[in-house]
Amino acid sequence: MSKIERAEVFVASPGRNFVTLRLTTSDGVTGLGDATLNGRELAVASYLRDHVVPLLVDRDPANIEDIWQYLYRGAYWRRGPVTMTAVAAVDTALWDIKGKVAGLPVYQLLGGRSRDGVLVYSHASGTDTASLLDDVARFRDLGYKAIRAQAAVPDAGASYGVRKGTVYEPAAHSLPDEQPWSTEAYLDFAPTYLEAVRDRFGFGFHLLHDVHHRLTPIEAARFGKRVEDCRLFWMEDPTPAENQEAFRLIRQHTTTPVAVGETLSSIWDVQHLITEQLIDYVRTTVVHAGGITHLRRIFDLAALYQVRTGSHGATDLSPVTLAAAVHVDTAVPNFGIQEYMPHVAETMEVFRSEVRFEDGMLHAGDEPGLGVEYDEKAAERFPYEPRYLPVARRLDGSVHDW
Ligand code: GCO
Ligand code: MG
């Protein structure tokens, strides 16, 4: 019987911070898992090093489900992003190993190919409507068939989702940026730039928008109704989702499709959203929702209710997560869309990935396993630096949801 012989946790900052788990079996097969929780990286690194690695050594890497149950139920303390990210890293590495042992890409282990490629959307942004339109034009030229549009709200300072050069969340500070927010200014302005995108480029591509948890349910209902003629592919995270019931009110007012899930980590966090058809797309992803094993369970539940997948894929999720997501996306029947922001060159020096972009789609490649290798020597050139996501404050100074 093959055994897990070694489990190593790497923390490095090639372009941004990533935590990576590498398992090695007694047969010398390695598997990778992403364990990155943006802004709280070391908590997961410690959870793995101090509490999980000692439990893995000598276990049979073939028993993915048993190891998942052992780590999840065996912790007693359930769910939550730190736990589920740590469990995800182990689970992802085990699927990578299983694929390499079988000589098959992971999507084959999940039932094989359901589609030729994985439709992706990327992020256009601007400091105003004119620069947003230029950025949308650039993404159209790059071949994207789906584009998310965000612009800075006048008088509300640094709005969510607007790139500064190549920097995208977090800002290059060791303490959180504090950014002003005005719901009124946003509700007045955001629909106008979404309309401007449709006026200029028409309807021959998918247009998405991320509200990033900033509205109350009734404000979100008003926003969704106001932008119906833009025919958005989705409005994302219109209101925080701790209270799943809140989405019923949004549903009662608008046909703009709703996507939720990037901050949620278990099937229980999306149960009512899915079974009561309060959303159209579920955005949980491999790294923050317990790995391929648990994500597959969420997506199968979603399929029963005609909810499609739309996995989170910002650059704070490592190329290991992107590859794992693309394998899952290739196989599941209810795939919707995959978020994709290309990683910067430093990141790709450390993670060599088989994932390829072509004609608006991602392709997983046919290497056994996930098709990603980690270059720990290259990683040593990029030491970890503490970074935080920004914090939003209303114009009166009180804290808002960022
Ligand atoms: C998205 C997300 C991200 C998150 C980021 C937090 O839709 O891509 O909202 O941009 O803010 O992943 O770490
Ligand atoms: Mg988002």
Side-chain angles (χ1 to χ4, degrees), residues 200-229:
R200 165 91 167 266
F201 301 99
F203 287 82
F205 67 104
H206 298 300
L207 179 61
L208 297 84
H209 178 70
D210 192 346
V211 180
H212 221 256
H213 327 272
R214 301 282 167 101
L215 302 177
T216 65
I218 198 69
E219 289 163 354
R222 177 175 137 204
F223 178 81
K225 205 165 161 181
R226 168 77 169 76
V227 299
E228 270 169 17
D229 288 344

PDB file of all heavy atoms in Angstrom, residues 200-229:
ATOM      1  N   ARG A 200     -22.391  51.021 -26.367  1.00  0.00           N
ATOM      2  CA  ARG A 200     -21.209  51.064 -27.225  1.00  0.00           C
ATOM      3  C   ARG A 200     -20.930  49.714 -27.904  1.00  0.00           C
ATOM      4  O   ARG A 200     -20.582  49.662 -29.070  1.00  0.00           O
ATOM      5  CB  ARG A 200     -20.029  51.503 -26.363  1.00  0.00           C
ATOM      6  CG  ARG A 200     -18.679  51.275 -26.941  1.00  0.00           C
ATOM      7  CD  ARG A 200     -18.183  52.482 -27.753  1.00  0.00           C
ATOM      8  NE  ARG A 200     -16.777  52.295 -27.998  1.00  0.00           N
ATOM      9  CZ  ARG A 200     -15.808  52.792 -27.243  1.00  0.00           C
ATOM     10  NH1 ARG A 200     -16.088  53.580 -26.238  1.00  0.00           N
ATOM     11  NH2 ARG A 200     -14.549  52.536 -27.522  1.00  0.00           N
ATOM     12  N   PHE A 201     -21.102  48.598 -27.160  1.00  0.00           N
ATOM     13  CA  PHE A 201     -20.648  47.305 -27.703  1.00  0.00           C
ATOM     14  C   PHE A 201     -21.783  46.341 -28.038  1.00  0.00           C
ATOM     15  O   PHE A 201     -21.530  45.260 -28.571  1.00  0.00           O
ATOM     16  CB  PHE A 201     -19.691  46.612 -26.713  1.00  0.00           C
ATOM     17  CG  PHE A 201     -18.471  47.425 -26.401  1.00  0.00           C
ATOM     18  CD1 PHE A 201     -18.400  48.173 -25.231  1.00  0.00           C
ATOM     19  CD2 PHE A 201     -17.401  47.459 -27.285  1.00  0.00           C
ATOM     20  CE1 PHE A 201     -17.284  48.929 -24.939  1.00  0.00           C
ATOM     21  CE2 PHE A 201     -16.278  48.221 -27.003  1.00  0.00           C
ATOM     22  CZ  PHE A 201     -16.212  48.963 -25.831  1.00  0.00           C
ATOM     23  N   GLY A 202     -23.013  46.690 -27.712  1.00  0.00           N
ATOM     24  CA  GLY A 202     -24.136  45.810 -28.042  1.00  0.00           C
ATOM     25  C   GLY A 202     -24.249  44.613 -27.102  1.00  0.00           C
ATOM     26  O   GLY A 202     -23.677  44.603 -26.007  1.00  0.00           O
ATOM     27  N   PHE A 203     -24.982  43.607 -27.584  1.00  0.00           N
ATOM     28  CA  PHE A 203     -25.352  42.476 -26.727  1.00  0.00           C
ATOM     29  C   PHE A 203     -24.680  41.163 -27.137  1.00  0.00           C
ATOM     30  O   PHE A 203     -25.040  40.102 -26.645  1.00  0.00           O
ATOM     31  CB  PHE A 203     -26.875  42.313 -26.731  1.00  0.00           C
ATOM     32  CG  PHE A 203     -27.561  43.397 -25.944  1.00  0.00           C
ATOM     33  CD1 PHE A 203     -27.804  44.642 -26.522  1.00  0.00           C
ATOM     34  CD2 PHE A 203     -27.918  43.197 -24.623  1.00  0.00           C
ATOM     35  CE1 PHE A 203     -28.406  45.657 -25.791  1.00  0.00           C
ATOM     36  CE2 PHE A 203     -28.529  44.204 -23.884  1.00  0.00           C
ATOM     37  CZ  PHE A 203     -28.766  45.438 -24.474  1.00  0.00           C
ATOM     38  N   GLY A 204     -23.667  41.246 -27.995  1.00  0.00           N
ATOM     39  CA  GLY A 204     -23.033  40.017 -28.508  1.00  0.00           C
ATOM     40  C   GLY A 204     -22.003  39.397 -27.586  1.00  0.00           C
ATOM     41  O   GLY A 204     -21.152  38.643 -28.034  1.00  0.00           O
ATOM     42  N   PHE A 205     -22.041  39.718 -26.317  1.00  0.00           N
ATOM     43  CA  PHE A 205     -21.146  39.084 -25.334  1.00  0.00           C
ATOM     44  C   PHE A 205     -21.836  39.175 -23.975  1.00  0.00           C
ATOM     45  O   PHE A 205     -22.785  39.938 -23.799  1.00  0.00           O
ATOM     46  CB  PHE A 205     -19.781  39.795 -25.305  1.00  0.00           C
ATOM     47  CG  PHE A 205     -19.834  41.202 -24.781  1.00  0.00           C
ATOM     48  CD1 PHE A 205     -19.396  41.502 -23.505  1.00  0.00           C
ATOM     49  CD2 PHE A 205     -20.368  42.231 -25.562  1.00  0.00           C
ATOM     50  CE1 PHE A 205     -19.474  42.793 -23.010  1.00  0.00           C
ATOM     51  CE2 PHE A 205     -20.444  43.526 -25.071  1.00  0.00           C
ATOM     52  CZ  PHE A 205     -19.995  43.810 -23.793  1.00  0.00           C
ATOM     53  N   HIS A 206     -21.364  38.383 -23.028  1.00  0.00           N
ATOM     54  CA  HIS A 206     -21.971  38.391 -21.697  1.00  0.00           C
ATOM     55  C   HIS A 206     -21.376  39.514 -20.863  1.00  0.00           C
ATOM     56  O   HIS A 206     -20.162  39.686 -20.824  1.00  0.00           O
ATOM     57  CB  HIS A 206     -21.719  37.066 -20.975  1.00  0.00           C
ATOM     58  CG  HIS A 206     -22.313  35.895 -21.677  1.00  0.00           C
ATOM     59  ND1 HIS A 206     -23.661  35.783 -21.932  1.00  0.00           N
ATOM     60  CD2 HIS A 206     -21.744  34.768 -22.178  1.00  0.00           C
ATOM     61  CE1 HIS A 206     -23.890  34.642 -22.557  1.00  0.00           C
ATOM     62  NE2 HIS A 206     -22.747  34.015 -22.723  1.00  0.00           N
ATOM     63  N   LEU A 207     -22.242  40.236 -20.164  1.00  0.00           N
ATOM     64  CA  LEU A 207     -21.806  41.338 -19.296  1.00  0.00           C
ATOM     65  C   LEU A 207     -22.158  40.975 -17.849  1.00  0.00           C
ATOM     66  O   LEU A 207     -23.289  40.577 -17.560  1.00  0.00           O
ATOM     67  CB  LEU A 207     -22.511  42.623 -19.715  1.00  0.00           C
ATOM     68  CG  LEU A 207     -22.214  43.881 -18.910  1.00  0.00           C
ATOM     69  CD1 LEU A 207     -20.726  44.253 -18.991  1.00  0.00           C
ATOM     70  CD2 LEU A 207     -23.069  45.052 -19.434  1.00  0.00           C
ATOM     71  N   LEU A 208     -21.165  41.103 -16.965  1.00  0.00           N
ATOM     72  CA  LEU A 208     -21.366  40.753 -15.552  1.00  0.00           C
ATOM     73  C   LEU A 208     -21.030  41.961 -14.692  1.00  0.00           C
ATOM     74  O   LEU A 208     -20.302  42.869 -15.128  1.00  0.00           O
ATOM     75  CB  LEU A 208     -20.453  39.584 -15.153  1.00  0.00           C
ATOM     76  CG  LEU A 208     -20.655  38.244 -15.862  1.00  0.00           C
ATOM     77  CD1 LEU A 208     -19.919  38.200 -17.206  1.00  0.00           C
ATOM     78  CD2 LEU A 208     -20.166  37.101 -14.994  1.00  0.00           C
ATOM     79  N   HIS A 209     -21.522  41.940 -13.457  1.00  0.00           N
ATOM     80  CA  HIS A 209     -21.201  43.028 -12.533  1.00  0.00           C
ATOM     81  C   HIS A 209     -21.181  42.479 -11.104  1.00  0.00           C
ATOM     82  O   HIS A 209     -22.026  41.665 -10.734  1.00  0.00           O
ATOM     83  CB  HIS A 209     -22.238  44.148 -12.654  1.00  0.00           C
ATOM     84  CG  HIS A 209     -21.986  45.275 -11.701  1.00  0.00           C
ATOM     85  ND1 HIS A 209     -20.919  46.129 -11.839  1.00  0.00           N
ATOM     86  CD2 HIS A 209     -22.639  45.667 -10.584  1.00  0.00           C
ATOM     87  CE1 HIS A 209     -20.914  47.004 -10.843  1.00  0.00           C
ATOM     88  NE2 HIS A 209     -21.959  46.746 -10.067  1.00  0.00           N
ATOM     89  N   ASP A 210     -20.193  42.933 -10.327  1.00  0.00           N
ATOM     90  CA  ASP A 210     -20.044  42.473  -8.938  1.00  0.00           C
ATOM     91  C   ASP A 210     -20.427  43.611  -7.992  1.00  0.00           C
ATOM     92  O   ASP A 210     -19.766  44.649  -7.957  1.00  0.00           O
ATOM     93  CB  ASP A 210     -18.578  42.057  -8.712  1.00  0.00           C
ATOM     94  CG  ASP A 210     -18.376  41.296  -7.402  1.00  0.00           C
ATOM     95  OD1 ASP A 210     -19.293  41.309  -6.557  1.00  0.00           O
ATOM     96  OD2 ASP A 210     -17.299  40.691  -7.238  1.00  0.00           O
ATOM     97  N   VAL A 211     -21.483  43.414  -7.231  1.00  0.00           N
ATOM     98  CA  VAL A 211     -21.920  44.437  -6.265  1.00  0.00           C
ATOM     99  C   VAL A 211     -21.073  44.338  -4.979  1.00  0.00           C
ATOM    100  O   VAL A 211     -20.978  45.277  -4.198  1.00  0.00           O
ATOM    101  CB  VAL A 211     -23.430  44.283  -5.963  1.00  0.00           C
ATOM    102  CG1 VAL A 211     -23.917  45.321  -4.963  1.00  0.00           C
ATOM    103  CG2 VAL A 211     -24.253  44.365  -7.246  1.00  0.00           C
ATOM    104  N   HIS A 212     -20.462  43.197  -4.789  1.00  0.00           N
ATOM    105  CA  HIS A 212     -19.527  42.965  -3.682  1.00  0.00           C
ATOM    106  C   HIS A 212     -20.141  43.249  -2.311  1.00  0.00           C
ATOM    107  O   HIS A 212     -19.554  43.952  -1.471  1.00  0.00           O
ATOM    108  CB  HIS A 212     -18.239  43.777  -3.888  1.00  0.00           C
ATOM    109  CG  HIS A 212     -17.002  42.999  -3.521  1.00  0.00           C
ATOM    110  ND1 HIS A 212     -16.314  43.224  -2.373  1.00  0.00           N
ATOM    111  CD2 HIS A 212     -16.358  41.992  -4.147  1.00  0.00           C
ATOM    112  CE1 HIS A 212     -15.273  42.394  -2.313  1.00  0.00           C
ATOM    113  NE2 HIS A 212     -15.288  41.634  -3.370  1.00  0.00           N
ATOM    114  N   HIS A 213     -21.333  42.691  -2.094  1.00  0.00           N
ATOM    115  CA  HIS A 213     -21.974  42.669  -0.762  1.00  0.00           C
ATOM    116  C   HIS A 213     -22.372  44.063  -0.259  1.00  0.00           C
ATOM    117  O   HIS A 213     -22.628  44.225   0.940  1.00  0.00           O
ATOM    118  CB  HIS A 213     -21.048  42.036   0.299  1.00  0.00           C
ATOM    119  CG  HIS A 213     -20.146  40.946  -0.190  1.00  0.00           C
ATOM    120  ND1 HIS A 213     -20.543  39.633  -0.223  1.00  0.00           N
ATOM    121  CD2 HIS A 213     -18.870  40.955  -0.665  1.00  0.00           C
ATOM    122  CE1 HIS A 213     -19.542  38.875  -0.688  1.00  0.00           C
ATOM    123  NE2 HIS A 213     -18.534  39.656  -0.971  1.00  0.00           N
ATOM    124  N   ARG A 214     -22.458  45.069  -1.127  1.00  0.00           N
ATOM    125  CA  ARG A 214     -22.580  46.449  -0.626  1.00  0.00           C
ATOM    126  C   ARG A 214     -24.012  46.916  -0.357  1.00  0.00           C
ATOM    127  O   ARG A 214     -24.192  47.993   0.217  1.00  0.00           O
ATOM    128  CB  ARG A 214     -21.951  47.420  -1.637  1.00  0.00           C
ATOM    129  CG  ARG A 214     -20.487  47.178  -1.936  1.00  0.00           C
ATOM    130  CD  ARG A 214     -19.597  47.695  -0.844  1.00  0.00           C
ATOM    131  NE  ARG A 214     -18.235  47.188  -0.984  1.00  0.00           N
ATOM    132  CZ  ARG A 214     -17.213  47.873  -1.500  1.00  0.00           C
ATOM    133  NH1 ARG A 214     -17.391  49.097  -1.930  1.00  0.00           N
ATOM    134  NH2 ARG A 214     -16.017  47.344  -1.558  1.00  0.00           N
ATOM    135  N   LEU A 215     -25.033  46.185  -0.828  1.00  0.00           N
ATOM    136  CA  LEU A 215     -26.399  46.716  -0.754  1.00  0.00           C
ATOM    137  C   LEU A 215     -27.252  45.937   0.251  1.00  0.00           C
ATOM    138  O   LEU A 215     -26.956  44.788   0.570  1.00  0.00           O
ATOM    139  CB  LEU A 215     -27.044  46.651  -2.137  1.00  0.00           C
ATOM    140  CG  LEU A 215     -26.305  47.418  -3.248  1.00  0.00           C
ATOM    141  CD1 LEU A 215     -27.015  47.215  -4.586  1.00  0.00           C
ATOM    142  CD2 LEU A 215     -26.201  48.912  -2.924  1.00  0.00           C
ATOM    143  N   THR A 216     -28.316  46.577   0.702  1.00  0.00           N
ATOM    144  CA  THR A 216     -29.335  45.855   1.469  1.00  0.00           C
ATOM    145  C   THR A 216     -30.225  45.127   0.456  1.00  0.00           C
ATOM    146  O   THR A 216     -30.190  45.443  -0.748  1.00  0.00           O
ATOM    147  CB  THR A 216     -30.217  46.825   2.277  1.00  0.00           C
ATOM    148  OG1 THR A 216     -30.943  47.636   1.343  1.00  0.00           O
ATOM    149  CG2 THR A 216     -29.392  47.717   3.203  1.00  0.00           C
ATOM    150  N   PRO A 217     -31.051  44.185   0.904  1.00  0.00           N
ATOM    151  CA  PRO A 217     -31.897  43.470  -0.066  1.00  0.00           C
ATOM    152  C   PRO A 217     -32.777  44.397  -0.908  1.00  0.00           C
ATOM    153  O   PRO A 217     -32.880  44.216  -2.121  1.00  0.00           O
ATOM    154  CB  PRO A 217     -32.728  42.538   0.819  1.00  0.00           C
ATOM    155  CG  PRO A 217     -31.836  42.267   1.995  1.00  0.00           C
ATOM    156  CD  PRO A 217     -31.111  43.564   2.245  1.00  0.00           C
ATOM    157  N   ILE A 218     -33.383  45.403  -0.298  1.00  0.00           N
ATOM    158  CA  ILE A 218     -34.297  46.243  -1.089  1.00  0.00           C
ATOM    159  C   ILE A 218     -33.512  47.149  -2.044  1.00  0.00           C
ATOM    160  O   ILE A 218     -33.949  47.427  -3.163  1.00  0.00           O
ATOM    161  CB  ILE A 218     -35.284  47.040  -0.185  1.00  0.00           C
ATOM    162  CG1 ILE A 218     -36.483  47.548  -0.988  1.00  0.00           C
ATOM    163  CG2 ILE A 218     -34.629  48.210   0.537  1.00  0.00           C
ATOM    164  CD1 ILE A 218     -37.410  46.467  -1.467  1.00  0.00           C
ATOM    165  N   GLU A 219     -32.321  47.580  -1.629  1.00  0.00           N
ATOM    166  CA  GLU A 219     -31.468  48.349  -2.550  1.00  0.00           C
ATOM    167  C   GLU A 219     -31.035  47.471  -3.726  1.00  0.00           C
ATOM    168  O   GLU A 219     -30.998  47.911  -4.882  1.00  0.00           O
ATOM    169  CB  GLU A 219     -30.217  48.861  -1.823  1.00  0.00           C
ATOM    170  CG  GLU A 219     -30.490  49.971  -0.824  1.00  0.00           C
ATOM    171  CD  GLU A 219     -29.338  50.168   0.177  1.00  0.00           C
ATOM    172  OE1 GLU A 219     -28.374  49.379   0.181  1.00  0.00           O
ATOM    173  OE2 GLU A 219     -29.430  51.123   0.979  1.00  0.00           O
ATOM    174  N   ALA A 220     -30.711  46.215  -3.412  1.00  0.00           N
ATOM    175  CA  ALA A 220     -30.288  45.284  -4.471  1.00  0.00           C
ATOM    176  C   ALA A 220     -31.441  45.020  -5.437  1.00  0.00           C
ATOM    177  O   ALA A 220     -31.243  44.910  -6.652  1.00  0.00           O
ATOM    178  CB  ALA A 220     -29.801  43.979  -3.850  1.00  0.00           C
ATOM    179  N   ALA A 221     -32.646  44.928  -4.890  1.00  0.00           N
ATOM    180  CA  ALA A 221     -33.826  44.721  -5.736  1.00  0.00           C
ATOM    181  C   ALA A 221     -33.981  45.905  -6.697  1.00  0.00           C
ATOM    182  O   ALA A 221     -34.213  45.736  -7.896  1.00  0.00           O
ATOM    183  CB  ALA A 221     -35.066  44.573  -4.863  1.00  0.00           C
ATOM    184  N   ARG A 222     -33.804  47.105  -6.166  1.00  0.00           N
ATOM    185  CA  ARG A 222     -33.923  48.307  -6.998  1.00  0.00           C
ATOM    186  C   ARG A 222     -32.845  48.310  -8.085  1.00  0.00           C
ATOM    187  O   ARG A 222     -33.114  48.601  -9.248  1.00  0.00           O
ATOM    188  CB  ARG A 222     -33.778  49.539  -6.087  1.00  0.00           C
ATOM    189  CG  ARG A 222     -33.815  50.846  -6.818  1.00  0.00           C
ATOM    190  CD  ARG A 222     -33.786  51.999  -5.814  1.00  0.00           C
ATOM    191  NE  ARG A 222     -32.885  53.034  -6.267  1.00  0.00           N
ATOM    192  CZ  ARG A 222     -32.287  53.911  -5.472  1.00  0.00           C
ATOM    193  NH1 ARG A 222     -32.487  53.868  -4.156  1.00  0.00           N
ATOM    194  NH2 ARG A 222     -31.500  54.833  -5.972  1.00  0.00           N
ATOM    195  N   PHE A 223     -31.621  47.956  -7.698  1.00  0.00           N
ATOM    196  CA  PHE A 223     -30.514  47.927  -8.660  1.00  0.00           C
ATOM    197  C   PHE A 223     -30.793  46.900  -9.773  1.00  0.00           C
ATOM    198  O   PHE A 223     -30.679  47.199 -10.967  1.00  0.00           O
ATOM    199  CB  PHE A 223     -29.198  47.597  -7.936  1.00  0.00           C
ATOM    200  CG  PHE A 223     -28.031  47.499  -8.859  1.00  0.00           C
ATOM    201  CD1 PHE A 223     -27.381  48.642  -9.289  1.00  0.00           C
ATOM    202  CD2 PHE A 223     -27.589  46.268  -9.320  1.00  0.00           C
ATOM    203  CE1 PHE A 223     -26.304  48.560 -10.167  1.00  0.00           C
ATOM    204  CE2 PHE A 223     -26.512  46.177 -10.192  1.00  0.00           C
ATOM    205  CZ  PHE A 223     -25.871  47.331 -10.619  1.00  0.00           C
ATOM    206  N   GLY A 224     -31.179  45.695  -9.362  1.00  0.00           N
ATOM    207  CA  GLY A 224     -31.424  44.636 -10.347  1.00  0.00           C
ATOM    208  C   GLY A 224     -32.506  45.027 -11.342  1.00  0.00           C
ATOM    209  O   GLY A 224     -32.398  44.780 -12.547  1.00  0.00           O
ATOM    210  N   LYS A 225     -33.557  45.680 -10.830  1.00  0.00           N
ATOM    211  CA  LYS A 225     -34.673  46.103 -11.676  1.00  0.00           C
ATOM    212  C   LYS A 225     -34.225  47.188 -12.649  1.00  0.00           C
ATOM    213  O   LYS A 225     -34.544  47.165 -13.836  1.00  0.00           O
ATOM    214  CB  LYS A 225     -35.752  46.656 -10.742  1.00  0.00           C
ATOM    215  CG  LYS A 225     -37.132  46.605 -11.270  1.00  0.00           C
ATOM    216  CD  LYS A 225     -38.078  46.820 -10.106  1.00  0.00           C
ATOM    217  CE  LYS A 225     -39.438  47.253 -10.613  1.00  0.00           C
ATOM    218  NZ  LYS A 225     -40.351  47.483  -9.502  1.00  0.00           N
ATOM    219  N   ARG A 226     -33.436  48.106 -12.130  1.00  0.00           N
ATOM    220  CA  ARG A 226     -32.972  49.253 -12.926  1.00  0.00           C
ATOM    221  C   ARG A 226     -32.102  48.809 -14.107  1.00  0.00           C
ATOM    222  O   ARG A 226     -32.108  49.442 -15.156  1.00  0.00           O
ATOM    223  CB  ARG A 226     -32.193  50.178 -11.973  1.00  0.00           C
ATOM    224  CG  ARG A 226     -31.377  51.270 -12.593  1.00  0.00           C
ATOM    225  CD  ARG A 226     -32.239  52.438 -13.057  1.00  0.00           C
ATOM    226  NE  ARG A 226     -31.416  53.581 -13.420  1.00  0.00           N
ATOM    227  CZ  ARG A 226     -30.719  53.696 -14.548  1.00  0.00           C
ATOM    228  NH1 ARG A 226     -30.760  52.731 -15.429  1.00  0.00           N
ATOM    229  NH2 ARG A 226     -29.982  54.763 -14.780  1.00  0.00           N
ATOM    230  N   VAL A 227     -31.315  47.706 -13.930  1.00  0.00           N
ATOM    231  CA  VAL A 227     -30.382  47.306 -14.995  1.00  0.00           C
ATOM    232  C   VAL A 227     -30.926  46.140 -15.844  1.00  0.00           C
ATOM    233  O   VAL A 227     -30.177  45.562 -16.630  1.00  0.00           O
ATOM    234  CB  VAL A 227     -28.975  46.951 -14.440  1.00  0.00           C
ATOM    235  CG1 VAL A 227     -28.352  48.153 -13.747  1.00  0.00           C
ATOM    236  CG2 VAL A 227     -29.020  45.747 -13.492  1.00  0.00           C
ATOM    237  N   GLU A 228     -32.216  45.841 -15.713  1.00  0.00           N
ATOM    238  CA  GLU A 228     -32.750  44.690 -16.462  1.00  0.00           C
ATOM    239  C   GLU A 228     -32.504  44.789 -17.965  1.00  0.00           C
ATOM    240  O   GLU A 228     -32.204  43.794 -18.617  1.00  0.00           O
ATOM    241  CB  GLU A 228     -34.238  44.493 -16.161  1.00  0.00           C
ATOM    242  CG  GLU A 228     -34.419  43.571 -14.966  1.00  0.00           C
ATOM    243  CD  GLU A 228     -35.836  43.513 -14.429  1.00  0.00           C
ATOM    244  OE1 GLU A 228     -36.782  43.927 -15.133  1.00  0.00           O
ATOM    245  OE2 GLU A 228     -35.983  43.055 -13.275  1.00  0.00           O
ATOM    246  N   ASP A 229     -32.596  46.000 -18.510  1.00  0.00           N
ATOM    247  CA  ASP A 229     -32.411  46.136 -19.967  1.00  0.00           C
ATOM    248  C   ASP A 229     -30.966  45.900 -20.406  1.00  0.00           C
ATOM    249  O   ASP A 229     -30.705  45.730 -21.599  1.00  0.00           O
ATOM    250  CB  ASP A 229     -32.869  47.521 -20.443  1.00  0.00           C
ATOM    251  CG  ASP A 229     -34.384  47.637 -20.393  1.00  0.00           C
ATOM    252  OD1 ASP A 229     -35.047  46.584 -20.289  1.00  0.00           O
ATOM    253  OD2 ASP A 229     -34.891  48.773 -20.440  1.00  0.00           O
TER     254      ASP A 229
END
